Amino acid sequence: MRELFLEMIELMDSALQDYVGALPPPAKVNIGPGWVYRFENKDIHHAVVLKLVFVLSSLRAAMTLLDHGYVCQQAALHRLIDEANEDILFLVYAVTNDKITDLHQRYLGAFWAEEFADHSDLTGSHESRPMIPRKKIRAYLAQIEGHPMDVSRASTLAKVMSKTYSGFVHGAAPHIMELYGGNPGRFHTNGMVGTPRIEEYANDLWNYLYRGLLSLIFAAKMFGSQEHVDLLVTRKKQFEQAMGKDYGP
């Protein structure tokens, strides 16, 4: 399974680098006493690419944690990846299925906002990001995707899934207890390699790798690259077959 996961990551990384290469590279911008890299264009296409960078980097990190048995920390990353994939679809649909709404504009404003207005006064110039409530993003996705259930119900189910993983982020007691087991029982603070948890969390990682691949396919449609769509869809089917799954077209 690990070899398949590595193959998926390399495929996704290759596609991502093509998307990055289609955009003007970031430039050095003077901020405070030094400089940082920033994109000049702060639009949806650049935002999607950055979100894909975050997803792929986080997937690699999750796989590294799984390799060493740190399953609770892996699950916390899954929560971050889940929200990033939601954000990608939210942005892509504005181009492929809908239009750039006021909600998208407000999202982009918060996404591109700098953390500090004056880097010589970090305490006094910190900017609070006007974040879009997650429930609004999920309601938008449910509406565009045309769920057979009502929009409110679909949004609620997405919220429940997210809240389930939030226990790993915030360190809730039931989630920390995932680290207990064995004979005699003990807390595995040095990873859970060799325990049944590894197979369980490897299967969970597959879901996030697969969803990351879907995000890359949707992004390819946004960029108008049918070549990437065809390649990624073909490989998607191959990955499904290798895992004994069939999710249809």
Side-chain angles (χ1 to χ4, degrees):
M1 186 182 294
R2 189 177 189 279
E3 289 73 21
L4 178 67
F5 288 0
L6 286 173
E7 186 180 352
M8 293 179 72
I9 287 176
E10 291 304 319
L11 173 68
M12 289 189 282
D13 207 351
S14 178
L16 173 62
Q17 296 307 322
D18 286 344
Y19 301 166
V20 172
L23 302 174
K28 292 181 179 179
V29 176
N30 293 323
I31 291 185
W35 57 267
V36 294
Y37 284 111
R38 292 289 187 270
F39 279 119
E40 180 179 355
N41 294 325
K42 296 177 173 58
D43 57 16
I44 278 186
H45 291 75
H46 288 75
V48 168
V49 165
L50 286 183
K51 283 291 183 178
L52 286 170
V53 168
F54 181 77
V55 166
L56 189 52
S57 176
S58 298
L59 285 171
R60 287 187 182 277
M63 187 167 180
T64 299
L65 289 169
L66 176 64
D67 285 342
H68 294 277
Y70 293 101
V71 293
C72 280
Q73 292 75 15
Q74 174 196 340
L77 275 180
H78 287 180
R79 161 73 182 274
L80 302 181
I81 296 168
D82 192 32
E83 291 193 357
N85 278 320
E86 286 180 341
D87 291 343
I88 290 168
L89 294 185
F90 169 71
L91 295 171
V92 166
Y93 287 160
V95 178
T96 60
N97 295 66
D98 191 25
K99 61 183 179 181
I100 300 176
T101 66
D102 176 68
L103 188 64
H104 291 98
Q105 295 285 15
R106 289 191 285 124
Y107 175 94
L108 291 171
F111 176 73
W112 291 110
E114 292 290 343
E115 200 70 25
F116 303 98
D118 181 2
H119 281 71
S120 65
D121 181 17
L122 300 184
T123 302
S125 69
H126 182 263
E127 301 283 349
S128 296
R129 297 177 185 275
M131 301 299 292
I132 301 299
R134 182 61 39 184
K135 64 180 181 180
K136 289 186 177 293
I137 292 176
R138 290 177 180 143
Y140 176 86
L141 294 177
Q143 182 179 22
I144 293 296
E145 292 171 353
H147 284 284
M149 65 183 75
D150 64 83
V151 171
S152 177
R153 174 67 173 164
S155 182
T156 299
L157 288 176
K159 178 182 178 181
V160 169
M161 289 297 296
S162 178
K163 288 294 184 181
T164 300
Y165 279 90
S166 71
F168 291 107
V169 176
H170 301 293
H175 299 72
I176 296 173
M177 291 304 300
E178 293 278 286
L179 300 178
Y180 189 85
N183 188 19
R186 67 183 179 89
F187 284 103
H188 295 257
T189 60
N190 62 339
M192 303 197 74
V193 172
T195 74
R197 294 291 185 207
I198 299 304
E199 181 178 0
E200 175 185 345
Y201 281 84
N203 289 329
D204 201 22
L205 179 57
W206 149 258
N207 292 324
Y208 286 86
L209 287 164
Y210 185 82
R211 292 170 65 186
L213 181 58
L214 293 181
S215 289
L216 282 157
I217 293 172
F218 282 109
K221 293 181 179 180
M222 180 192 70
F223 279 109
S225 176
Q226 191 61 43
E227 179 181 356
H228 281 94
V229 172
D230 293 342
L231 171 63
L232 294 175
V233 168
T234 297
R235 297 302 304 277
K236 176 184 79 72
K237 295 176 181 177
Q238 293 171 352
F239 293 138
E240 289 175 5
Q241 291 173 358
M243 292 294 293
K245 303 178 185 296
D246 182 7
Y247 298 128

